[in-house]
Amino acid sequence: MTTSVPSGTRAWLPIAADCILAIAIVASAFGAMASSIPDRDALLGSIALAAVRGSIAVFTAEFALRAWAAIQKGHGATYVASFAGAIDLAVVLPGWAALFSDALASAAGIAGILALLKLWRFLPALAILGAVLMREGKALAAALAAMLVLLALVSTFMFHLEREAQPEIFRSIPHALWWGIVTMATVGYGDMAPVTLAGRVFGGLTMTLGIAMFAVPAGIIATGFADELRKREVMVTWRSVARVPLFSRLDANRVSEIAGMLKPGIVPAHSVIVRRGDAADAMFFVMEGEVEVELQPHPVRLGPGEFFGEMALVSGLRRNATVSSVTECRLLRLHVADFRRLAEANPEILDEIRKVAAGRAGRDGEQATPGR
Ligand code: CMP
């Protein structure tokens, strides 16, 4: 069995396009920031202008190509209405408008920074964060609402505690809101601080409450992030399991059940996965890559869709051969306890595994006694 090597003919093209795009994004942000320096010298000014114009040219070409590709596939409107398409357009339009009108220069500056959002294409973690924010939207909105209510309460209370001692600083409840935000966020600029004893005690309490309140959305996002990562891992495993010939006839529920039992893992090239004579605690399914079963006189190679390590589980004996990775492999590992559960719930799968194991044992017997 040969490992598939990606054809190298035009493989560099997407990599080159990504590099150019990444450079343009950085140049755009740099240009927007440098252009805002009022007393910049002439050289910095020209570099910033070149960075802005160059990046707009790249983004325009990118937008045109993406729109063209989407139209070819029949969903041009979907692209422009999508988050990615909207950002692509919002970055390009103000840039072009600023070329014709100086009044729009600040809009172009904001759009230049907005280009940083394009980085989400390079950072999958940002897409995960987006999914978490969407999914946990209600919980985050509830946490935000609770914070706003608390902010209004503490600011009003502090206004009444301090208004007599500092009428110029705590002039009104809206003025006190600034104190509330700065204190709850525990930033404490010091431009508004209570001077009365009651005000200080209440200020201390507000800070403590602020830490607790800010921990709530942080916790929601952290848990959501972990859930999303787990969900994606299960999805990937589900797809992998559905592709294994042994499970291909099962319905989606059974596949999900099995996906929960299989633990994905990557094994580097030339690593021993199971060793002859060892006790067995799992069997493995090859998803990607190739493994070699060290048999005499001819080793056997197994590739995607095939499994190994089943013989010891079926027979209850020790490993009958050493199996190593030839290339880097993506494997799914089925622990012996899960193997038993799987076999109990799906006797037809156990039968198939037994058949394969028996066939292999027969061949191993022939190999061990050549000339028969
Ligand atoms: P196990 O004995 O648990 O561990 C070594 C594994 O090598 C064994 O299970 C089989 O999965 C695999 N193996 C042994 N003999 C052969 C063979 N002839 N062809 C393919 N795989 C084999």
Side-chain angles (χ1 to χ4, degrees):
M1 192 184 296
T2 49
T3 23
S4 66
V5 178
S7 104
T9 29
R10 288 204 295 167
W12 58 270
L13 208 67
I15 299 173
D18 277 356
C19 287
I20 294 172
L21 203 56
I23 292 170
I25 292 169
V26 175
S28 168
F30 163 78
M33 286 184 191
S35 309
S36 74
I37 301 172
D39 46 3
R40 60 185 179 273
D41 61 31
L43 179 65
L44 182 62
S46 341
I47 294 175
L49 194 66
V52 168
R53 291 194 173 160
S55 56
I56 288 175
V58 172
F59 296 150
T60 307
E62 182 210 4
F63 180 75
L65 284 172
R66 285 192 194 279
W68 178 76
I71 290 166
Q72 292 299 307
K73 286 186 199 152
H75 34 74
T78 321
Y79 164 63
V80 179
S82 69
F83 173 74
I87 293 290
D88 290 346
L89 196 62
V91 170
V92 167
L93 281 184
W96 280 103
L99 289 182
F100 301 104
S101 154
D102 281 349
L104 289 165
S106 54
I110 294 171
I113 296 291
L114 215 61
L116 286 174
L117 289 179
K118 283 168 171 281
L119 282 176
W120 75 270
R121 284 204 175 97
F122 300 95
L123 303 172
L126 278 184
I128 296 178
L129 186 63
V132 171
L133 293 180
M134 297 285 278
R135 213 189 49 210
E136 303 294 342
K138 278 188 189 154
L140 287 171
L144 190 72
M147 270 160 82
L148 290 177
V149 169
L150 210 69
L151 174 69
L153 287 176
V154 296
S155 304
T156 308
F157 207 61
M158 186 54 96
F159 165 69
H160 288 292
L161 287 177
E162 290 290 314
R163 64 193 290 195
E164 269 179 33
Q166 307 186 78
E168 274 312 299
I169 295 180
F170 286 86
R171 264 189 275 169
S172 64
I173 293 176
H175 280 91
L177 279 175
W178 173 245
W179 170 86
I181 293 168
V182 167
T183 309
M184 278 182 66
T186 60
V187 175
Y189 287 126
D191 55 343
M192 288 177 94
V195 291
T196 63
L197 179 65
R200 286 188 172 179
V201 171
F202 186 65
L205 279 175
T206 307
M207 265 185 246
T208 319
L209 214 66
I211 296 173
M213 285 313 292
F214 273 88
V216 175
I220 293 173
I221 292 176
T223 321
F225 218 89
D227 280 351
E228 189 65 27
L229 285 177
R230 208 171 30 242
K231 209 172 81 186
R232 281 170 193 233
E233 198 176 86
V234 169
M235 279 298 287
V236 171
T237 313
W238 194 95
R239 276 194 222 114
S240 303
V241 172
R243 283 205 320 262
V244 174
L246 187 64
F247 305 131
S248 59
R249 270 174 276 137
L250 299 180
D251 63 27
N253 282 343
R254 279 276 166 87
V255 172
S256 301
E257 217 175 276
I258 295 170
M261 298 178 183
L262 292 161
K263 303 282 166 288
I266 307 261
V267 178
H270 313 298
S271 317
V272 172
I273 305 164
V274 304
R275 202 180 289 278
R276 182 184 165 91
D278 279 357
D281 64 346
M283 66 175 285
F284 302 85
F285 296 87
V286 183
M287 292 293 101
E288 276 168 24
E290 213 178 13
V291 298
E292 187 169 89
V293 186
E294 290 174 22
L295 293 169
Q296 293 301 334
H298 303 297
V300 173
R301 290 198 172 187
L302 302 172
E306 294 180 286
F307 56 82
F308 62 92
E310 80 296 350
M311 287 168 79
L313 295 192
V314 168
S315 64
L317 301 173
R318 296 201 164 240
R319 299 287 189 201
N320 82 340
T322 296
V323 183
S324 320
S325 54
V326 179
T327 60
E328 184 182 85
C329 292
R330 205 158 64 77
L331 302 176
L332 294 176
R333 185 175 189 277
L334 180 65
H335 190 266
V336 61
D338 291 323
F339 170 79
R340 294 211 181 101
R341 277 201 291 142
L342 175 81
E344 228 166 77
N346 307 276
E348 72 285 1
I349 291 184
L350 180 63
D351 276 353
E352 288 206 28
I353 294 178
R354 274 201 178 125
K355 252 185 239 159
V356 173
R360 287 173 175 176
R363 280 200 298 281
D364 294 353
E366 282 165 25
Q367 287 184 355
T369 54
R372 262 199 315 151

